[in-house]
Amino acid sequence: MQLADSYGRVATDLRVSLTDRCNLRCTYCMPAEGLAWLPRPEILTDSEVLRLVAIAVTRLGVTEIRLTGGEPTLRPGLVSLVQAITALVPRPEVALTTNGLLLGGSGGLAGALAAAGMDRVNVSLDTLRPDRFGEITRRHRLDDVFAGLEAAARAGFAPVKVNAVLMRGVNDDEAVPLLHWCLDRGYELRFIEQMPLDAQGGWRREQMVTAAEILDRLAAEFTLTPAPGRGNAPAELFTIDAGPGQVGVIASVSAPFCAACDRVRLTADGQVRDCLFARTESDLRTPLRSGADDEEIAARWVRAVRAKRAGHGIDVPGFVQPARPMSAIGG
Ligand code: SAM
Ligand code: SF4
């Protein structure tokens, strides 16, 4: 069995949200007061997450697992979960998307995650300026992100990837400084266009800093050469000057890559979503908790993905933002 849709795409990359909670409050993601978190009993336990991941990997052809959230490092069982996922046969690639706060410092997770077999880490960082970091994330913890990035590099993640969202009038003058900073440290930077996924519904297309604008700003300082072999990756990659440094731009809104999408998502409360922008979900938690066997769950999962739409439809008149915000879907 595989997770194929009616347009011939096959999902092999599973994004698993481990929690909808977070220790930051990024303005483009959630309101200052946070959100009504998912009730604890509805959140999958570690063994339930592992069972669903194992079904995806061993029965449905999933080859990559990305752990995300909310903030996945808030999940107490994260390291053991990574250990168990990397022990699956066939072994999937395992990656983490994190705000980095808990990777470094005393008790930091970077070393333990590397030892557990985690393959790759993406850390989100939108600014190098402490005052702006406070404004964007509503917490003054930029030093913890820097420490987390250093810890990730020391733990052997290579390259450490950095995700940045630029917002007009907020941090859009930092495209070049962020790239210099990442190049100096051997981190691979990816700019992500801001998407209409914030809980407050505050996204405005005309406010969005487009991939084209970002590339224009970078081109004023660097020579960018498109790197070949994008495959199904959302980021369009460019080699910088003579290389080997690269930068990625993810134009989810202005140049959607839906036709090559190989992603499927599992929320922290056990719902399959075939797209970030899906308006419907398929419940796996109920069958999981009422004794369904692996084959039955796999069959439900296959049915869920078959109905995937051709595209996210942001540009289609009548587009409606999904009810779940990014932090509860798993970015
Ligand atoms: N908390 C972790 C983090 O921030 O990396 C993981 C979850 S977060 C939802 C995953 C990624 O989505 C982050 O890189 C974040 O910057 C990005 N993100 C959140 N809201 C977004 C939005 N409205 N548009 C584009 N990217 C967004
Ligand atoms: Fe938290 Fe990540 Fe959302 Fe920021 S983007 S509030 S770090 S989940």
Side-chain angles (χ1 to χ4, degrees):
M1 275 196 283
Q2 55 179 13
L3 295 172
D5 65 36
S6 61
Y7 297 93
R9 297 168 296 189
V10 177
T12 54
D13 177 347
L14 172 63
R15 314 242 152 164
V16 181
S17 173
L18 293 181
T19 176
D20 59 331
R21 291 163 199 248
C22 192
N23 40 12
L24 294 180
R25 296 284 182 274
C26 303
T27 51
Y28 51 76
C29 185
M30 54 171 90
E33 65 279 13
L35 295 162
W37 310 123
L38 293 168
R40 298 258 184 213
E42 290 180 16
I43 294 193
L44 299 181
T45 62
D46 289 351
S47 59
E48 288 171 335
V49 171
L50 183 60
R51 178 151 172 233
L52 291 180
V53 168
I55 290 171
V57 168
T58 61
R59 292 175 175 261
L60 297 171
V62 164
T63 55
E64 171 158 2
I65 306 294
R66 178 167 292 275
L67 302 175
T68 180
E71 179 45 45
T73 57
L74 293 179
R75 180 106 181 186
L78 175 64
V79 172
S80 316
L81 200 52
V82 171
Q83 233 160 12
I85 294 173
T86 54
L88 291 171
V89 180
R91 183 199 189 287
E93 288 269 299
V94 186
L96 180 77
T97 302
T98 172
N99 61 30
L101 295 187
L102 301 181
L103 292 180
S106 72
L109 289 167
L113 288 170
M118 177 75 73
D119 297 294
R120 282 176 288 140
V121 172
N122 288 52
V123 176
S124 302
L125 175 67
D126 306 321
T127 177
L128 300 170
R129 294 172 43 168
D131 53 334
R132 280 192 183 167
F133 188 86
E135 279 163 31
I136 295 172
T137 69
R138 304 186 177 105
R139 300 287 185 272
H140 291 279
R141 299 193 61 181
L142 181 58
D143 285 345
D144 292 330
V145 183
F146 289 160
L149 279 161
E150 281 165 26
R154 263 198 317 276
F157 294 106
V160 173
K161 293 186 182 165
V162 172
N163 293 350
V165 176
L166 294 183
M167 286 164 290
R168 198 172 301 290
V170 177
N171 61 343
D172 55 339
D173 55 350
E174 286 196 74
V176 168
L178 274 166
L179 183 50
H180 272 304
W181 190 86
C182 286
L183 288 172
D184 288 348
R185 288 158 182 77
Y187 305 151
E188 200 172 292
L189 178 63
R190 278 157 166 59
F191 291 100
I192 308 174
E193 279 180 349
Q194 189 183 353
M195 294 178 277
L197 286 169
D198 58 309
Q200 317 88 288
W203 182 89
R204 297 287 171 271
R205 189 182 186 112
E206 55 288 359
Q207 278 297 315
M208 189 191 79
V209 181
T210 63
E213 277 179 81
I214 296 167
L215 289 171
D216 275 353
R217 283 171 189 254
L218 298 180
E221 180 89 5
F222 306 95
T223 304
L224 302 178
T225 313
R230 178 175 176 181
N232 290 339
E236 194 178 357
L237 280 181
F238 297 86
T239 303
I240 301 155
D241 298 334
Q246 292 193 320
V247 65
V249 182
I250 304 182
S252 330
V253 179
S254 64
F257 35 86
C258 303
C261 179
D262 63 356
R263 260 146 257 137
V264 60
R265 288 162 204 275
L266 179 66
T267 65
D269 56 346
Q271 311 298 306
V272 170
R273 295 181 63 94
D274 57 28
C275 174
L276 268 176
F277 295 92
R279 309 288 319 285
T280 56
E281 307 180 332
S282 303
D283 179 21
L284 294 187
R285 187 186 72 229
T286 303
L288 186 72
R289 290 186 176 171
S290 43
D293 63 17
D294 287 1
E295 202 175 312
E296 221 173 309
I297 291 172
R300 271 183 185 249
W301 208 327
V302 167
R303 282 200 296 278
V305 172
R306 202 173 291 144
K308 178 164 168 153
R309 292 181 305 168
H312 58 42
I314 295 176
D315 282 325
V316 175
F319 167 75
V320 180
Q321 194 174 323
R324 263 193 209 248
M326 176 79 127
S327 55
I329 296 171

